[in-house]
Amino acid sequence: MKQKQNRIWNGIEKFGNSLPHPVYIFIILTAVVFVVSALCSSIEFPHPNTGEEQHISNLMSKDGLVWFLQSMVENFVTFSPLGVTLVAMLGIGIAEETGLVKTVIKSSIAGAPKFLVTAIVLLVGIMGSLAGSATFVIIPPLGAMIFRGMDRHPIAGLATGFAGVAAGLSANLMVTQTDILLSGITESAAQIYDPNYTVNPTVNWYFMAASTIMLTIVGTFVVEKIIEPRLGEYKREEGEPGAIETEDTTLADVTAEEKSGMKWAGIAVLVYLAVLAITIVPTNGILRGEDGAIIDSPFFSSMVPILTIFFLVAGLAYGIKTKVIQKSADVVQLWGKSMAGLAGFVVLCFFAGQFVKAFAQSNLGLYLSVKGSEFLSGSSLTGAPLIVGFICITMLINFMIGSASAKWALMAPIFVPMFMKLGFTPAFTQAAFRIADSVTNAVSPLEPFMPFIIMTALKYDRKSGLGSIIATMLPLVISFAISWIILILIWYKLNLPLGPGSSILM
């Protein structure tokens, strides 16, 4: 059985890696979008939300080509992973290049038991949705570094972190910005059926908290029993740093200078956190939201620069104490060194940005999503089969529309009222949507941070490509999907509350 599974994953990887470089894949996909948009330009359809007439935009027409040429620069600079990654690396790069990250790993996480490290990386990744997009840049590379430091395969660590932040995106032990964003869309859709219906951000809290624990357990098992055995022993490149000892003597391997540097970094971080607390703890703090809100506030919407400064402060304090930084010019050199490794990623972002924007401009994704939704809403499925069908359709739509809010704004007006007529609460429909919206992110070419994951994998395996990432992530994605569907069906069968005062049935 194991050999058969390995043949399947290896076949997927071989096929995927036989494809051109990801840069050329995005060029080809963009060309395909242009051709298909021209062939389908006569198609018209009503927008499911507004009812306004929509049509497939012909990108090969004069207007389409002019739009593409005029927006090419904007398509690149507004591609969200580009800005997030570059800004985050201003802080993470200093922490990494000064040696702080390596020292912290040596003295703490790498000394933990193997199974616990996997679970920690997964859990931190899942909980990372609190920090928004920044976690895509922080957790997967950190997972790879942790695994490599423990003489485990870094690609497995990268996959563990990526599974947490991407496939487990909607789960969390706390109420997040996603809850607030989706509940607002759900409430508007529910009021189509009942004008007085309200949906609060905590309607999925219990279910998502349980999902966090379940995904951590399932993901740990899959990484330990399937992904790592398939990847095999990691062979280090010449000159690559050796393993970090995981015995009780780990702390002894940290030099006195490194310990002193960590102490300075810790003090600097405490001072920074104290200053940050002044802006968020008082009810009138400058980073609080309207009426003193914390979750829906400038604090959370500014998480990328906040985390960048966090790593920058820690890295500078460590580097100054350990004399890695002796003059101001050293900081600029370290920034340049860390940014140099992102050159390939920047090139990839240019072409990925063109594809994503062209696909959206053509309306092909919207059209296919509408047709998929119409197929399900017109089916005769009820009960558990309807729930599973809705999740599967949404998974497919997730390959065409990446943004959760855009996707839910499209689907909610169709499915929330429909499910309400069938006796399901909007909270339950929203929970089912969040499952599908999360799990396929880790294998979707439309996932904005996929180029960054590919470029990170290339640091450890020069043969890595899109096929390698998909083959590595598929066991996690499939196991997450199956276990999450089983969990929601159990929740449905037992009619458990999804959140405070939030039931499954109307």
Side-chain angles (χ1 to χ4, degrees), residues 12-23 25 155 158 348 450-451 453-459 461-473:
I12 294 171
E13 179 176 6
K14 184 177 180 181
F15 171 76
N17 287 344
S18 66
L19 297 173
H21 188 282
V23 164
I25 290 177
I155 300 297
L158 180 72
L348 192 53
M450 183 64 79
I453 299 300
I454 294 172
M455 298 309 298
T456 304
L458 285 169
K459 292 182 180 180
D461 184 354
R462 294 173 184 173
K463 297 179 181 179
S464 286
L466 182 60
S468 302
I469 299 300
I470 291 177
T472 302
M473 297 308 301

Side-chain angles (χ1 to χ4, degrees), residues 63-75:
D63 290 342
L65 291 172
V66 169
W67 166 83
F68 187 67
L69 291 172
Q70 289 182 337
S71 61
M72 188 174 289
V73 175
E74 184 180 356
N75 293 345

Side-chain angles (χ1 to χ4, degrees), residues 5-260:
Q5 288 177 345
N6 284 338
R7 282 200 300 270
I8 293 173
W9 307 133
N10 291 338
I12 294 171
E13 179 176 6
K14 184 177 180 181
F15 171 76
N17 287 344
S18 66
L19 297 173
H21 188 282
V23 164
Y24 297 112
I25 290 177
F26 282 115
I27 293 174
I28 292 169
L29 287 174
T30 304
V32 169
V33 168
F34 270 72
V35 173
V36 174
S37 72
L39 295 176
C40 300
S41 60
S42 61
I43 295 177
E44 294 184 348
F45 58 98
H47 193 287
N49 194 359
T50 64
E52 295 180 4
E53 196 69 21
Q54 304 289 313
H55 67 278
I56 303 298
S57 298
N58 182 2
L59 298 183
M60 294 188 71
S61 65
K62 176 184 175 181
D63 290 342
L65 291 172
V66 169
W67 166 83
F68 187 67
L69 291 172
Q70 289 182 337
S71 61
M72 188 174 289
V73 175
E74 184 180 356
N75 293 345
F76 173 49
V77 299
T78 59
F79 187 56
S80 58
L82 178 66
V84 170
T85 302
L86 293 179
V87 171
M89 284 306 295
L90 290 174
I92 298 170
I94 292 295
E96 195 171 338
E97 295 299 333
T98 57
L100 173 60
V101 173
K102 178 182 175 182
T103 301
V104 169
I105 293 172
K106 281 201 299 181
S107 63
S108 56
I109 301 178
K114 176 183 175 183
F115 77 93
L116 190 57
V117 168
T118 306
I120 288 172
V121 173
L122 261 170
L123 181 60
V124 171
I126 294 171
M127 293 294 293
S129 60
L130 286 166
S133 300
T135 48
F136 282 86
V137 182
I138 297 171
I139 304 302
L142 186 58
M145 292 177 64
I146 291 170
F147 273 49
R148 183 185 68 176
M150 297 181 68
D151 231 2
R152 298 171 65 183
H153 206 296
I155 300 297
L158 180 72
T160 303
F162 189 39
V165 300
L169 181 65
S170 272
N172 212 291
L173 295 176
M174 300 174 64
V175 176
T176 68
Q177 286 178 301
T178 301
D179 293 277
I180 295 173
L181 181 63
L182 295 184
S183 64
I185 298 173
T186 303
E187 180 174 283
S188 297
Q191 289 174 351
I192 296 173
Y193 182 82
D194 180 355
N196 298 317
Y197 203 95
T198 59
V199 179
N200 69 70
T202 64
V203 292
N204 292 154
W205 187 16
Y206 298 162
F207 179 71
M208 288 304 161
S211 299
T212 301
I213 298 170
M214 181 270 296
L215 294 177
T216 300
I217 295 171
V218 170
T220 299
F221 177 83
V222 172
V223 171
E224 302 273 346
K225 302 299 181 182
I226 298 177
I227 292 178
E228 283 197 280
R230 175 184 169 271
L231 290 172
E233 183 180 357
Y234 178 60
K235 296 180 180 179
R236 297 174 179 277
E237 300 287 341
E238 185 177 349
E240 187 177 344
I244 298 168
E245 297 297 331
T246 59
E247 301 174 357
D248 294 336
T249 57
T250 302
L251 284 174
D253 296 333
V254 181
T255 66
E257 185 179 44
E258 289 173 334
K259 290 180 182 178
S260 181

Side-chain angles (χ1 to χ4, degrees), residues 229 366 428:
L366 179 62
F428 185 67

Side-chain angles (χ1 to χ4, degrees), residues 111-456:
K114 176 183 175 183
F115 77 93
L116 190 57
V117 168
T118 306
I120 288 172
V121 173
L122 261 170
L123 181 60
V124 171
I126 294 171
M127 293 294 293
S129 60
L130 286 166
S133 300
T135 48
F136 282 86
V137 182
I138 297 171
I139 304 302
L142 186 58
M145 292 177 64
I146 291 170
F147 273 49
R148 183 185 68 176
M150 297 181 68
D151 231 2
R152 298 171 65 183
H153 206 296
I155 300 297
L158 180 72
T160 303
F162 189 39
V165 300
L169 181 65
S170 272
N172 212 291
L173 295 176
M174 300 174 64
V175 176
T176 68
Q177 286 178 301
T178 301
D179 293 277
I180 295 173
L181 181 63
L182 295 184
S183 64
I185 298 173
T186 303
E187 180 174 283
S188 297
Q191 289 174 351
I192 296 173
Y193 182 82
D194 180 355
N196 298 317
Y197 203 95
T198 59
V199 179
N200 69 70
T202 64
V203 292
N204 292 154
W205 187 16
Y206 298 162
F207 179 71
M208 288 304 161
S211 299
T212 301
I213 298 170
M214 181 270 296
L215 294 177
T216 300
I217 295 171
V218 170
T220 299
F221 177 83
V222 172
V223 171
E224 302 273 346
K225 302 299 181 182
I226 298 177
I227 292 178
E228 283 197 280
R230 175 184 169 271
L231 290 172
E233 183 180 357
Y234 178 60
K235 296 180 180 179
R236 297 174 179 277
E237 300 287 341
E238 185 177 349
E240 187 177 344
I244 298 168
E245 297 297 331
T246 59
E247 301 174 357
D248 294 336
T249 57
T250 302
L251 284 174
D253 296 333
V254 181
T255 66
E257 185 179 44
E258 289 173 334
K259 290 180 182 178
S260 181
M262 280 202 302
K263 182 178 178 180
W264 272 53
I267 294 172
V269 164
L270 288 175
V271 172
Y272 173 66
L273 293 177
V275 173
L276 193 60
I278 295 173
T279 69
I280 193 67
V281 172
T283 55
N284 61 344
I286 62 173
L287 292 184
R288 287 265 194 162
E290 188 175 348
D291 298 324
I294 295 180
I295 295 178
D296 188 14
S297 68
F299 173 73
F300 276 100
S301 61
S302 305
M303 194 55 70
V304 172
I306 286 173
L307 287 175
T308 299
I309 298 171
F310 174 89
F311 283 102
L312 182 61
V313 166
L316 288 174
Y318 180 87
I320 291 170
K321 183 60 179 176
T322 56
K323 293 184 172 55
V324 175
I325 298 174
Q326 298 185 34
K327 54 184 183 296
S328 60
D330 293 338
V331 178
V332 178
Q333 289 178 349
L334 293 175
W335 270 328
K337 187 177 179 181
S338 65
M339 290 294 183
L342 294 175
F345 169 70
V346 172
V347 173
L348 192 53
C349 278
F350 175 81
F351 294 100
Q354 307 310 319
F355 164 67
V356 171
K357 297 293 185 178
F359 190 64
Q361 180 72 14
S362 70
N363 270 342
L364 285 170
L366 179 62
Y367 173 71
L368 293 172
S369 301
V370 169
K371 289 303 175 182
S373 300
E374 288 177 352
F375 168 78
L376 183 58
S377 60
S379 69
S380 58
L381 297 176
T382 58
L386 176 64
I387 298 166
V388 175
F390 172 65
I391 292 173
C392 291
I393 286 291
T394 307
M395 286 181 184
L396 292 175
I397 293 175
N398 200 33
F399 283 100
M400 295 174 279
I401 301 178
S403 167
S405 58
K407 190 161 52 260
W408 191 225
L410 164 71
M411 299 179 67
I414 299 172
F415 289 106
V416 170
M418 184 185 91
F419 273 68
M420 290 175 77
K421 291 177 184 178
L422 295 173
F424 293 105
T425 63
F428 185 67
T429 311
Q430 178 180 285
F433 166 80
R434 293 175 71 172
I435 292 173
D437 176 61
S438 294
V439 291
T440 50
N441 288 333
V443 291
S444 172
L446 275 181
E447 165 54 50
F449 286 92
M450 183 64 79
F452 177 76
I453 299 300
I454 294 172
M455 298 309 298
T456 304

